[in-house]
Amino acid sequence: MFQFILKKLRRFVLFTVAFSLSFIFLIFLILYINYNVSKQYVQPDTVYDSIMENKEDGVLFTTVNRSFLKENNLWAIRVGENGEVIESCRKPSEIPETYKLTDVARFTRYYLKDYPVMTYIVGDVLLVIGYPKGTLDKLPFNYYSAEQWLLNVDLALIFLLGYLFFLFFMYRKERNNLFKKMFPLQEALEEIYSAHYTPLDETGPLKEVSHAINDANARYVQLNKSQSQWIRGISHDVRTPLSKLSWGLNDLKTDENKEAVKALEDEIMRISKTIQDLNDTSRLQTLSDDRFILQNPAPLLRKIIVAQMNEHEDRRILFDNQLSEDAKINMDSHLFSRMIDNVISNSIKYQPGDIHVACRETEESIHITLWDNGGGVKKEVLDRLERSDSDSVYVHGMGLLISKQICRLHGGKMKACNINGGFNVAFILPRRH
């Protein structure tokens, strides 16, 4: 959930930054386009250079220069020291022939009869180059302050950096606010199916979400309670007729039908064990760890192995213990025995050959591995065990599922696989110092 929200927040920030950069790029693009549009008219300096290169014997507007001015839709005049026009080319009719000093000062900075003009000094005379009306704008100043220009650049950079810092600050602020508001929700979601669930406070901007999570937990608790009651009821209702069937079969047993009766008794035992496994599965889902004590698992493992060998004298169980005396785990002896006994019984019932039990320790954990060489189990059993799925699990798979649940209650992990032609189960349990 957090990663999704942060991803959305990052996308928003990146979008804002990209939009800002795109806006700046657009401004520069407009300026560049304007610059290119302005280039459709020849630059005044280019016109001046062309005129000076092609003048002849003091005549500025030679045939070449006149053609150049005509091609570029320009006009030009040469004003002498007395203010009179000495020479002209394509001069509009409203342009005067004589100018006073004030006229020269005015059109040098501004316009001449609304024509944008540029002036150049050529010896003792004044060269005036005119452009069509409305083509160019003249600035009312011919200087700028370098310090002021640099100050404007600095201010622009400071504004840009401040803007980016503001975006980053807002991103961090919103991110922290999201963490503060969403962290309790994440904790609640992780514990929603746990006995340690703490109801969320249904106030604030996320009260609807908090209410939905609390309601989901309440529904789960109610469903779990109903399921347990249903299983206990079914178990009670089924055990009585099963017992009567078992007693009745003993009365009906004869030499002729003893094999058929034995098969029926085995089916009754299978049904009874399935019901017991269902009861255990339901009970383990709500069992707390208050009964757990710190102890070394090796003595209990020996006891389990001896009991199994006494019951099945034709089978060998090899025990390899590499645990030190101070290797301890926090465990419930009864549940731990059931966890190991389920796996050994599974191998005895379904797999031929020797059974191996090995223990080793690391700094952080204790590893208990059980394996045989009987060909392994079906892939569908392993898949259901991986999903912790009790649907359609028969006696074979149910015992392994119960072992996995018990391992989880001990804070450990159970791994089951087919390897080296046999079935291998490893319990990794946290070591307590």
Side-chain angles (χ1 to χ4, degrees):
M1 180 185 293
F2 278 158
Q3 294 302 322
F4 171 77
I5 295 174
L6 289 177
K7 183 178 180 181
K8 292 293 184 183
L9 192 58
R10 289 193 199 101
R11 288 183 62 182
F12 169 75
V13 173
L14 291 176
F15 173 79
T16 304
V17 173
F19 177 79
S20 301
L21 294 178
S22 300
F23 183 74
I24 295 173
F25 173 77
L26 182 62
I27 292 176
F28 279 102
L29 180 64
I30 293 173
L31 294 175
Y32 177 75
I33 292 174
N34 288 335
Y35 171 73
N36 283 334
V37 169
S38 68
K39 290 176 65 177
Q40 63 180 307
Y41 296 100
V42 183
Q43 296 295 315
D45 289 346
T46 303
V47 178
Y48 170 77
D49 293 338
S50 178
I51 291 175
M52 298 308 294
E53 288 176 3
N54 296 291
K55 69 177 182 177
E56 296 178 359
D57 300 329
V59 177
L60 297 182
F61 306 134
T62 60
T63 303
V64 175
N65 285 336
R66 288 179 179 275
S67 298
F68 177 79
L69 292 172
K70 182 178 181 180
E71 289 174 2
N72 292 282
N73 195 23
L74 303 176
W75 58 268
I77 59 175
R78 186 168 60 142
V79 181
E81 293 180 332
N82 57 0
E84 294 181 356
V85 175
I86 301 174
E87 187 180 6
S88 67
C89 175
R90 304 185 71 247
K91 180 178 76 66
S93 58
E94 65 263 38
I95 299 300
E97 294 287 344
T98 305
Y99 300 92
K100 297 184 291 185
L101 186 60
T102 54
D103 296 331
V104 174
R106 186 177 295 109
F107 70 68
T108 300
R109 172 162 295 188
Y110 301 105
Y111 297 84
L112 177 56
K113 298 296 182 179
D114 295 331
Y115 287 92
V117 294
M118 307 299 168
T119 57
Y120 295 88
I121 298 175
V122 181
D124 295 333
V125 298
L126 188 66
L127 174 62
V128 180
I129 301 173
Y131 286 77
K133 292 180 180 180
T135 55
L136 299 178
D137 288 331
K138 296 187 66 178
L139 299 176
F141 57 86
N142 54 9
Y143 67 90
Y144 64 90
S145 171
E147 293 181 355
Q148 184 178 1
W149 186 83
L150 292 175
L151 177 61
N152 291 335
V153 172
D154 292 340
L155 290 175
L157 291 176
I158 292 173
F159 173 79
L160 179 60
L161 292 176
Y163 178 71
L164 294 177
F165 176 78
F166 173 75
L167 287 179
F168 178 76
F169 172 77
M170 292 301 297
Y171 165 75
R172 295 288 297 184
K173 182 180 178 181
E174 292 301 319
R175 181 176 179 271
N176 292 337
N177 287 337
L178 281 173
F179 269 114
K180 186 182 296 184
K181 294 176 182 177
M182 300 299 295
F183 186 72
L185 297 181
Q186 181 174 356
E187 283 189 327
L189 288 172
E190 291 174 354
E191 300 290 337
I192 192 170
Y193 300 129
S194 170
H196 306 290
Y197 177 80
T198 302
L200 292 167
D201 182 20
E202 297 182 13
T203 59
L206 298 175
K207 60 182 180 181
E208 291 85 1
V209 180
S210 300
H211 175 74
I213 295 175
N214 288 338
D215 185 63
N217 175 260
R219 290 172 181 269
Y220 165 75
V221 172
Q222 182 61 38
L223 178 63
N224 203 33
K225 187 182 297 183
S226 300
Q227 182 186 34
S228 299
Q229 292 174 350
W230 181 82
I231 291 175
R232 285 196 298 269
I234 292 295
S235 175
H236 179 271
D237 292 341
V238 172
R239 278 177 179 173
T240 300
L242 285 178
S243 299
K244 291 181 179 180
L245 284 173
S246 180
W247 296 335
L249 286 174
N250 285 328
D251 296 337
L252 296 174
K253 185 182 297 185
T254 63
D255 292 338
E256 290 79 10
N257 66 5
K258 62 180 181 181
E259 291 185 1
V261 171
K262 179 64 169 59
L264 291 175
E265 287 178 342
D266 289 343
E267 288 299 311
I268 291 173
M269 289 299 298
R270 188 177 73 85
I271 295 173
S272 297
K273 189 175 186 306
T274 301
I275 293 173
Q276 181 61 42
D277 287 343
L278 285 172
N279 273 324
D280 291 341
T281 301
S282 176
R283 184 170 60 89
L284 289 172
Q285 290 176 352
T286 57
L287 188 68
S288 66
D289 56 0
D290 298 338
R291 309 184 302 174
F292 288 34
I293 60 174
L294 200 63
Q295 53 185 312
N296 190 309
L300 189 56
L301 285 169
R302 289 192 184 94
K303 183 178 179 181
I304 297 169
I305 292 171
V306 169
Q308 286 283 2
M309 291 180 68
N310 288 336
E311 187 176 349
H312 306 279
E313 297 180 355
D314 59 326
R315 301 296 296 271
R316 287 202 311 168
I317 303 176
L318 307 178
F319 184 42
D320 179 17
N321 177 35
Q322 299 181 19
L323 298 181
S324 60
E325 293 184 0
D326 61 344
K328 297 181 179 181
I329 60 176
N330 195 32
M331 68 177 183
D332 177 285
S333 299
H334 174 72
L335 292 177
F336 184 86
S337 298
R338 179 72 186 278
M339 178 181 75
I340 301 298
D341 196 65
N342 280 350
V343 180
I344 296 177
S345 298
N346 187 81
S347 293
I348 289 175
K349 187 173 183 179
Y350 297 99
Q351 310 290 344
D354 296 341
I355 300 170
H356 300 262
V357 180
C359 300
R360 64 181 181 87
E361 61 183 293
T362 65
E363 188 67 24
E364 301 295 333
S365 59
I366 290 178
H367 297 247
I368 302 174
T369 307
L370 302 92
W371 74 94
D372 56 50
N373 299 304
V377 300
K378 294 181 179 179
K379 185 177 181 300
E380 61 183 27
V381 175
L382 293 176
D383 292 340
R384 286 195 298 266
L385 189 62
E386 180 68 23
R387 300 192 305 268
S388 297
D389 182 12
S390 61
D391 295 341
S392 303
V393 177
Y394 300 103
V395 176
H396 188 189
M398 184 63 77
L400 295 174
L401 178 61
I402 292 174
S403 292
K404 184 175 182 179
Q405 289 177 317
I406 295 174
C407 185
R408 283 180 178 174
L409 283 176
H410 286 78
K413 295 181 180 179
M414 171 181 161
K415 298 180 179 179
C417 62
N418 292 323
I419 187 172
N420 296 329
F423 183 52
N424 182 294
V425 177
F427 297 102
I428 305 171
L429 302 164
R431 178 175 179 174
R432 306 297 183 184
H433 299 280

